Amino acid sequence: MTVAELPEVARIARDLIRFDTSNWGEGRANPERPAADYVSALLSNLGLDVQTFEAEPGRTNVCARVEGRDRDRPALVLHGHLDVVPAVAADWSVDPFAGEVRDGMLWGRGAVDMKGMDAMIISSLSELHRAGEKPSRDVIVTFFADEEAGGERGSARVVAERPEWFAGATEAISEVGGYSVEVAGRRTYLLQVGEKALLWLRLSARGVAAHGSAVHADNAVTALAEAVVKIGRTPWPVQLTGTTAALLERFRQIAQTDETDPDALAALAGPAQRFIRASLRTTTNPTGLTAGYKHNVIPDHAEALIDVRTLPGTEDDVLAAIQDIVGDDIEITTVTRDIGLETPFAGDLVDAMVRVLGEHDPGAPVVPYLMGGGTDNKALSRLGIVGYGFAPLRLPADLDFTGMFHGVDERVPVESLVFGQRVLTDLLRSN
Ligand SMILES: [Zn+2]
């Protein structure tokens, strides 16, 4: 398949990958504006009135409203983000920002997270427009900046400063769900109905500075290291929520097994178990260490960063438990905190997503899942909007898709994007 032969959805995804919108966090990012201008032009071509908002110059958020057939019904938000996590080109088999097409796949940073879905959203609207059709209800299409750094210049600011963009909306659809995994050899779709909460913590240990040759008990590095080891090795217990209990029950049915151990059931999903197992418990991963400035000086303080993801609503309990684990001498600072979400796997929109997937891939089970990470749905929830992860992709059994998120050689089959665009278009027609 050459670039000229690409279907529209893959061509748009490729174009978006070729804008390097890397986001390193803490305000350091290549601006989203070129990608935002590109999607704005495509939306304008559909006759839509496009609005933009920049929290900082270049960090562009985009919004347009598509009139539906029934304007009395609440609107549906379709949203994507335009930024990506950085890529170290030397580690990749291809240039991560070239949008190469090879072996029937589109390669590049953002192919999966989430320029592929951005393209599916636009090409679905454009297919309806070409056919002279309207979505069943109003659709608010939004492309956010800065998702990969928590949305400070993206969804969080847009929700605070442009809430009118979402007037009348009750539900939202976006990334990290709706894709297929193999469960006991059977293609199964994971529909995301919740996200864990997030606590980014800094642990600080204080001691007394001294010469590196001293007999010295009060060493901040030693105290901090002990705390980090304890946190990193804590086996957090499985705690099932409504979503994960339902997910594991469906896995039991699909595999026709009597197995009851949650981790063993999660393992039926093969490589995708890394997402499933993380949804069953709290995780506390040390991700950074800072201490010292000279090989022969014992520093008087040391710091560690811990990425904590808790089940929705358990943040305070987990914080207390972590303080117990590390002891009172370690000071814990919450750097970033964000809520968890969980919504029932039920209702008209869920039924419609399940039905439309079933029409396009008959007989494949669709099961609910809770996501370990977070999305812009957290910010939208502050406006009372219930969000789902539904970026539908029918994927080949041998593709380790969950490993593609923020991974090396991120890629997506072109035919999976075409599948997703068809599912999404039918959902907009009929939900
Ligand atoms: Zn993403």
Side-chain angles (χ1 to χ4, degrees), residues 76-157:
L76 174 69
V77 181
L78 280 185
H79 64 100
H81 59 82
L82 295 172
D83 62 326
V84 293
V85 292
V88 179
D91 298 341
W92 284 54
S93 318
V94 298
D95 175 347
F97 299 102
E100 261 193 55
V101 179
R102 190 191 280 191
D103 307 327
M105 303 230 205
L106 175 64
W107 297 60
R109 179 58 86 220
V112 164
D113 186 7
M114 64 170 291
K115 289 172 169 173
M117 174 61 169
D118 294 341
M120 280 155 54
I121 291 172
I122 294 170
S123 54
S124 292
L125 295 172
S126 113
E127 181 178 334
L128 291 179
H129 179 76
R130 275 196 303 270
E133 291 179 66
K134 287 181 176 178
S136 58
R137 50 173 161 152
D138 277 17
V139 168
I140 297 162
V141 50
T142 311
F143 294 105
F144 291 115
D146 203 31
E147 193 274 344
E148 296 293 358
E152 207 180 305
R153 295 156 194 82
S155 59
R157 279 290 286 283

Side-chain angles (χ1 to χ4, degrees), residues 168-431:
T170 53
E171 293 166 314
I173 283 175
S174 189
E175 60 176 336
V176 210
Y179 57 90
S180 71
V181 299
E182 295 288 305
V183 176
R186 183 139 174 233
R187 188 165 56 242
T188 301
Y189 289 86
L190 299 179
L191 200 161
Q192 190 252 102
V193 295
E195 305 178 357
K196 286 169 81 180
L198 171 160
L199 290 168
W200 286 352
L201 305 182
R202 180 185 298 119
L203 306 189
S204 308
R206 297 249 156 222
V208 175
H211 195 286
S213 67
V215 174
H216 190 70
D218 196 5
N219 184 318
V221 176
T222 307
L224 182 84
E226 279 176 347
V228 168
V229 167
K230 284 181 192 158
I231 285 294
R233 297 211 188 279
T234 296
W236 293 91
V238 168
Q239 260 179 297
L240 296 184
T241 69
T243 302
T244 53
L247 169 91
L248 296 181
E249 185 51 38
R250 292 297 304 276
F251 276 20
R252 280 162 54 87
Q253 293 163 3
I254 291 165
Q256 297 180 311
T257 172
D258 297 328
E259 180 63 62
T260 54
D261 176 63
D263 287 306
L265 288 168
L268 293 169
Q273 67 178 289
R274 69 163 74 81
F275 273 26
I276 309 286
R277 293 186 64 217
S279 74
L280 305 178
R281 50 170 65 76
T282 291
T283 56
T284 50
N285 284 305
T287 52
L289 287 170
T290 316
Y293 57 92
K294 179 81 172 67
H295 210 141
N296 59 354
V297 178
I298 298 172
D300 67 355
H301 69 277
E303 290 185 351
L305 304 179
I306 315 290
D307 186 347
V308 179
R309 310 295 175 119
T310 80
L311 296 168
T314 66
E315 298 94 307
D316 289 329
D317 293 343
V318 169
L319 259 179
I322 289 174
Q323 188 76 69
D324 276 351
I325 290 165
V326 298
D328 289 340
D329 291 343
I330 301 287
E331 186 191 339
I332 300 178
T333 311
T334 301
V335 180
T336 304
R337 177 175 177 146
D338 209 345
I339 52 169
L341 306 171
E342 189 170 19
T343 192
F345 186 58
D348 290 347
L349 180 56
V350 168
D351 290 349
M353 291 188 281
V354 171
R355 173 175 48 75
V356 175
L357 267 178
E359 286 164 8
H360 288 264
D361 194 354
V366 182
V367 304
Y369 98 106
L370 181 74
M371 184 192 166
T375 73
D376 288 323
N377 278 331
K378 288 192 199 297
L380 288 171
S381 77
R382 295 194 159 85
L383 299 174
I385 296 170
V386 174
Y388 300 91
F390 189 70
L393 294 172
R394 183 177 60 202
L395 296 163
D398 58 352
L399 182 71
D400 176 11
F401 186 69
T402 53
M404 296 288 156
F405 288 85
H406 301 191
V408 168
D409 285 342
E410 185 176 341
R411 60 197 184 277
V412 66
V414 169
E415 64 179 33
S416 302
L417 291 175
V418 172
F419 171 89
Q421 186 259 315
R422 287 183 182 144
V423 171
L424 204 56
T425 307
D426 281 351
L427 181 73
L428 296 181
R429 280 191 177 109
S430 67
N431 85 89

